Amino acid sequence: MKFLRNPDGYPSLPQSSTSAQIKLYLGGSEGRALLGEGCRIGEERGTAGEHFATSGLTEFFVSLSKINIQSSMNRLRSLLFSAALGGSLFSLSAKPPLSSPSSSLTRWVNTLIGTDWVGNVYPGASAPFGMVQLSPDNGRPGWDYIAGYFYPDSVLAGFSHTHLSGTGAGDLYDISFFPTLLPPLIEEVRPPLSAGMEPKDQRPLGWHARFSHATEVARAGYYAVTLEPSNIRVELTATPRVGIQRYTFQQASDSACIRLDLDKAMNWDGTRSSDVRFTSSSTLSGYRLSDGWARQQEVYFYTRLSRVPDSVAFERKPRSGVPGKASYGTILKLYYKVRANESITLTTALSGVSEAGAKRNHQAEAPHLDFDRYRRSAEGAWSKRLGQITLDAKTPDSLRTTFYTALYRSQLCPTIYSDVDGRYLGADRKVHQARHTTYSTFSLWDTYRTAHPLYALLSPSEAKAMVPSLVA
């Protein structure tokens, strides 16, 4: 049944509807923005074996389930009106939504889509709107590496906890860990200039590992890869404010090393000052101050190790980023003897306020060291989000993957910025207390016409908190 228009010009639902099925014909920039920044309509370019979308107009049947349509009428009308202005065509029916267990929907998310060419998205793990974006970095600067990872590359140089998704700004990459067996692969020769690279970016790659895409698993809330030649399996997952890593050393070694590089910087980013200290034999606390797209950025962290290191070493490189204060780019190396298939798990909480705030976030969200429990929780959170929209059973698998990957990407940002206690660092450089969750990393010129109306429909509590965050 086609939708009706009421006197004020908005599309309207039958008043008896408790759920609705939406038929979308999407084309052009507004259509893909509605689906999310990761979806490209009208192109056949593929990444990791998946097409972005079919050419021409793309048709989806979408069932809005688990939403009280009567109480959400205004939000739905706003979404439909916004999409109509952007050139997307809708029809509605009052059919009950087709049943589809939401627990299976994360399998339709392929976070490698968009990591080739100029998609500028990262493949790693994040919770919905999470403060943490834990993802692999190739370690190279340049336009292709804006999100830290470029699919055609074959090396990895670290796993950092902050990334930008779908932007044209190369920044963040904070709190970077890297496991290896000594001696590591090291590139000490300055690379040639490439597209988007400035002379200042011609830094050697340093410590790194090779990898094959055949070993990668990239899903909503989970990423895994095997590093070579060290044969270390790296797995990543996340809570809203904590990144969880599991390193499985698949061969015994007397020279395993986990490197925390707080001096690492790429693209627009530059380290002003950083440091780390042990607060116990198995916990670390520290910070990284940087300048780039995010001016005077402050990231504090608290890390718990599942195993106490056998020995440690610090390296501090002088930096001049904080006037009147000794500043360093700090690198910490944790040394271990490991058995074959032994795993070491790290849980790292972030805060924009203080090291104490990072510790409180850790206490609230990372009470244990069971990686698989965290992974199930992250995938469950994404299943719940993705389960708000179900597709017609006749939707081809390729379009199903395109749609759910785009829906996933649409809910990566804005990102949580306040600690669990509501404290956050304001633009005035003062710490404030909010009663609501505070968000940051807004991209308003890309999202205000389409993504934010979608948040109003699917994530009304988050959308409500985003509004005061903009003027905080």
Side-chain angles (χ1 to χ4, degrees), residues 188-302:
E188 297 178 335
V189 178
R190 291 168 66 88
L193 283 173
S194 62
M197 185 189 296
E198 299 179 14
K200 68 179 180 63
D201 295 323
Q202 285 185 283
R203 288 172 288 211
L205 181 60
W207 287 37
H208 65 280
R210 296 187 296 269
F211 78 103
S212 167
H213 293 301
T215 71
E216 290 186 296
V217 178
R219 297 179 53 174
Y222 178 75
Y223 174 86
V225 68
T226 298
L227 304 182
E228 299 294 349
S230 57
N231 199 23
I232 299 172
R233 186 67 173 169
V234 176
E235 298 174 276
L236 313 177
T237 191
T239 72
R241 297 175 178 85
V242 180
I244 302 95
Q245 304 178 75
R246 180 166 64 187
Y247 304 148
T248 301
F249 298 84
Q250 298 180 118
Q251 63 190 59
S253 175
D254 293 336
S255 60
C257 178
I258 298 175
R259 187 175 191 253
L260 169 60
D261 190 348
L262 300 176
D263 191 46
K264 176 187 172 186
M266 298 184 299
N267 294 316
W268 300 8
D269 183 42
T271 304
R272 297 168 55 227
S273 181
S274 62
D275 204 3
V276 59
R277 59 191 173 87
F278 279 88
T279 56
S280 74
S281 60
S282 60
T283 57
L284 308 170
S285 184
Y287 65 89
R288 180 175 185 264
L289 311 182
S290 62
D291 260 326
W293 171 80
R295 300 294 184 186
Q296 298 183 350
Q297 185 192 16
E298 300 180 21
V299 177
Y300 301 90
F301 70 95
Y302 181 89

Side-chain angles (χ1 to χ4, degrees), residues 287-420:
Y287 65 89
R288 180 175 185 264
L289 311 182
S290 62
D291 260 326
W293 171 80
R295 300 294 184 186
Q296 298 183 350
Q297 185 192 16
E298 300 180 21
V299 177
Y300 301 90
F301 70 95
Y302 181 89
T303 296
R304 181 183 177 190
L305 309 169
S306 66
R307 182 182 152 187
V308 176
D310 298 327
S311 61
V312 303
F314 288 87
E315 179 182 354
R316 291 184 169 91
K317 302 178 181 180
R319 292 288 177 261
S320 57
V322 181
K325 180 180 178 181
S327 302
Y328 300 94
T330 302
I331 297 172
L332 170 64
K333 299 171 187 175
L334 311 173
Y335 298 106
Y336 295 90
K337 294 181 180 180
V338 294
R339 304 181 307 274
N341 295 314
E342 180 178 353
S343 294
I344 297 177
T345 299
L346 293 72
T347 54
T348 300
L350 302 186
S351 169
V353 175
S354 64
E355 293 180 40
K359 183 177 182 179
R360 283 190 292 269
N361 291 342
H362 191 280
Q363 291 171 333
E365 297 187 5
H368 59 83
L369 286 165
D370 188 335
F371 181 91
D372 293 322
R373 281 177 61 188
Y374 288 117
R375 176 185 175 180
R376 288 193 296 270
S377 178
E379 291 182 340
W382 280 114
S383 291
K384 184 177 180 181
R385 296 276 178 172
L386 300 173
Q388 292 179 291
I389 299 180
T390 58
L391 303 185
D392 187 277
K394 297 178 182 178
T395 303
D397 287 354
S398 61
L399 293 186
R400 194 177 296 272
T401 297
T402 297
F403 181 86
Y404 281 116
T405 301
L407 184 61
Y408 159 83
R409 292 212 185 280
S410 74
Q411 298 176 80
L412 288 176
C413 57
T415 57
I416 294 171
Y417 186 55
S418 55
D419 291 345
V420 291

Side-chain angles (χ1 to χ4, degrees), residues 20-295:
Q21 186 179 79
I22 300 179
K23 185 176 182 180
L24 296 79
Y25 297 92
L26 296 171
S29 61
E30 294 300 325
R32 70 170 170 266
L34 178 65
L35 288 182
E37 297 299 328
C39 180
R40 299 181 184 175
I41 303 300
E43 297 185 64
E44 287 283 348
R45 184 178 180 88
T47 294
E50 297 287 350
H51 290 297
F52 284 102
T54 58
S55 59
L57 291 175
T58 301
E59 177 181 303
F60 289 99
F61 289 90
V62 181
S63 295
L64 295 179
S65 59
K66 304 179 183 177
I67 296 176
N68 186 326
I69 294 296
Q70 293 293 341
S71 65
S72 302
M73 182 70 73
N74 289 335
R75 294 199 303 275
L76 182 60
R77 287 172 176 169
S78 174
L79 175 65
L80 295 176
F81 185 62
S82 174
L85 288 177
S88 302
L89 304 179
F90 284 74
S91 66
L92 300 180
S93 80
K95 300 177 192 174
L98 296 167
S99 60
S100 175
S102 61
S103 60
S104 67
L105 293 179
T106 55
R107 68 190 177 98
W108 297 112
V109 174
N110 180 358
T111 62
L112 291 173
I113 292 177
T115 59
D116 194 347
W117 201 31
V118 290
N120 292 357
V121 293
Y122 60 86
S126 179
F129 303 110
M131 176 185 290
V132 166
Q133 308 88 39
L134 180 55
S135 190
D137 297 317
N138 301 124
R140 305 186 194 276
W143 179 257
D144 290 328
Y145 297 90
I146 288 292
Y149 177 101
F150 182 43
Y151 188 82
D153 211 324
S154 59
V155 301
L156 294 176
F159 301 88
S160 58
H161 284 72
T162 60
H163 293 83
L164 296 172
S165 178
T167 72
D171 199 2
L172 306 186
Y173 326 113
D174 298 289
I175 322 302
S176 177
F177 287 88
F178 179 73
T180 191
L181 301 182
L182 302 177
L185 297 179
I186 301 179
E187 179 186 276
E188 297 178 335
V189 178
R190 291 168 66 88
L193 283 173
S194 62
M197 185 189 296
E198 299 179 14
K200 68 179 180 63
D201 295 323
Q202 285 185 283
R203 288 172 288 211
L205 181 60
W207 287 37
H208 65 280
R210 296 187 296 269
F211 78 103
S212 167
H213 293 301
T215 71
E216 290 186 296
V217 178
R219 297 179 53 174
Y222 178 75
Y223 174 86
V225 68
T226 298
L227 304 182
E228 299 294 349
S230 57
N231 199 23
I232 299 172
R233 186 67 173 169
V234 176
E235 298 174 276
L236 313 177
T237 191
T239 72
R241 297 175 178 85
V242 180
I244 302 95
Q245 304 178 75
R246 180 166 64 187
Y247 304 148
T248 301
F249 298 84
Q250 298 180 118
Q251 63 190 59
S253 175
D254 293 336
S255 60
C257 178
I258 298 175
R259 187 175 191 253
L260 169 60
D261 190 348
L262 300 176
D263 191 46
K264 176 187 172 186
M266 298 184 299
N267 294 316
W268 300 8
D269 183 42
T271 304
R272 297 168 55 227
S273 181
S274 62
D275 204 3
V276 59
R277 59 191 173 87
F278 279 88
T279 56
S280 74
S281 60
S282 60
T283 57
L284 308 170
S285 184
Y287 65 89
R288 180 175 185 264
L289 311 182
S290 62
D291 260 326
W293 171 80
R295 300 294 184 186

